[in-house]
Amino acid sequence: MKKEQESEQTEEKVSKWSLIKYNYQNNPPFKALIKLLGYFVFFIVIISVVAIGNDSVQDSKPQYKESTTNKINEKNYHDMLEDLRTTTKSINYEITIGDNKYLLTENITDSEVTGLLENKDNIIKFSIKDNIIYEIKLNEYIPNSEIFANFNGTYINIISLIDLISANKATKMLENDCVVYNYVIDENTFAVTTKDSIITNIVINSEGTIYDIKVETED
């Protein structure tokens, strides 16, 4: 009985295959349908392979996330100090000694520092050249080391101040969109503020004398 059933199933499969083969060879519409199904299956296989390949490539690429953190002070701090020697338009000091206030404006060139020193009683035009202080009267340069007798000469000469700061180590702090470099040099405190890769302000507290230095850069 079992052998008869197996024989019937085999004959049925052969009969179906023969029927399909016959129709494929003698029935054009049936042949076209079979070809269409073949193309359909072929395209499904191709699309599947491409999709799998794209997923693999995508997974292999490094994933980058756009940073929303503001980039602060991209330029090296040492370069910012050096820029202060060459790209500065003017530097404005406000010096406070007890109840006395002085305003000092400096302009930097390649060869000298020139400016004005003003207090409530007087205005002096000066020049610092080759570390010598001159008072300028009617375009005449007169050596006068007493002009800055009340101040620290290293702090008044911006070039000497840059040399001093560059030779010491600072602690770095972030304040809003600025970076502040703090120093303690000879028991005096220095705070150098930078913003957008530029030094904007230097504040020095030297035994109660406050030097508040504002930096104006060229456009």
Side-chain angles (χ1 to χ4, degrees):
M1 184 66 180
K2 184 176 181 180
K3 291 183 178 181
E4 291 180 358
Q5 290 178 349
E6 291 178 354
S7 177
E8 289 177 358
Q9 291 176 357
T10 301
E11 290 177 359
E12 183 178 358
K13 290 180 180 179
V14 172
S15 178
K16 287 182 178 179
W17 172 246
S18 299
L19 180 61
I20 292 173
K21 185 177 180 180
Y22 175 81
N23 285 327
Y24 182 80
Q25 293 175 345
N26 298 283
N27 189 341
F30 183 81
K31 183 177 182 179
L33 177 61
I34 293 298
K35 287 185 177 181
L36 181 62
L37 290 174
Y39 288 133
F40 182 72
V41 171
F42 174 77
F43 284 120
I44 289 179
V45 171
I46 293 298
I47 293 171
S48 299
V49 171
V50 172
I52 293 172
N54 287 338
D55 289 342
S56 299
V57 172
Q58 185 67 28
D59 291 340
S60 66
K61 290 183 179 179
Q63 300 296 316
Y64 297 103
K65 292 183 179 180
E66 183 178 357
S67 175
T68 57
T69 304
N70 291 330
K71 295 181 179 179
I72 300 176
N73 289 335
E74 293 180 348
K75 183 178 290 186
N76 182 280
Y77 176 55
H78 175 75
D79 292 338
M80 288 185 244
L81 288 171
E82 291 303 309
D83 285 347
L84 201 56
R85 302 177 189 270
T86 57
T87 61
T88 302
K89 187 175 182 180
S90 67
I91 297 178
N92 301 307
Y93 285 72
E94 183 176 299
I95 306 171
T96 304
I97 306 175
D99 295 331
N100 297 314
K101 182 177 289 187
Y102 301 83
L103 299 179
L104 174 63
T105 301
E106 294 184 353
N107 296 285
I108 301 174
T109 66
D110 293 337
S111 58
E112 66 179 323
V113 176
T114 60
L116 297 173
L117 174 63
E118 178 182 0
N119 62 16
K120 62 182 180 179
D121 300 318
N122 198 13
I123 298 176
I124 299 174
K125 187 176 181 180
F126 68 88
S127 169
I128 303 174
K129 191 173 183 180
D130 297 327
N131 290 323
I132 300 174
I133 301 172
Y134 298 91
E135 182 177 357
I136 303 175
K137 291 184 177 181
L138 299 176
N139 293 326
E140 182 180 356
Y141 284 61
I142 304 168
N144 185 353
S145 60
E146 297 300 313
I147 293 177
F148 303 124
N150 295 326
F151 314 130
N152 186 312
T154 301
Y155 305 161
I156 295 301
N157 184 344
I158 190 64
I159 304 301
S160 297
L161 178 58
I162 294 169
D163 290 339
L164 177 65
I165 291 173
S166 298
N168 287 270
K169 294 183 178 181
T171 58
K172 183 178 176 181
M173 295 178 58
L174 181 64
E175 293 185 2
N176 298 322
D177 57 347
C178 298
V179 175
V180 181
Y181 295 83
N182 294 297
Y183 302 79
V184 177
I185 305 173
D186 297 330
E187 299 183 355
N188 300 321
T189 61
F190 298 68
V192 181
T193 300
T194 67
K195 182 178 180 181
D196 298 328
S197 298
I198 297 172
I199 293 174
T200 59
N201 183 232
I202 303 172
V203 177
I204 306 169
N205 187 335
S206 175
E207 299 178 351
T209 298
I210 307 299
Y211 300 80
D212 189 355
I213 307 168
K214 301 288 194 303
V215 179
E216 180 182 347
T217 56
E218 293 181 344
D219 297 332

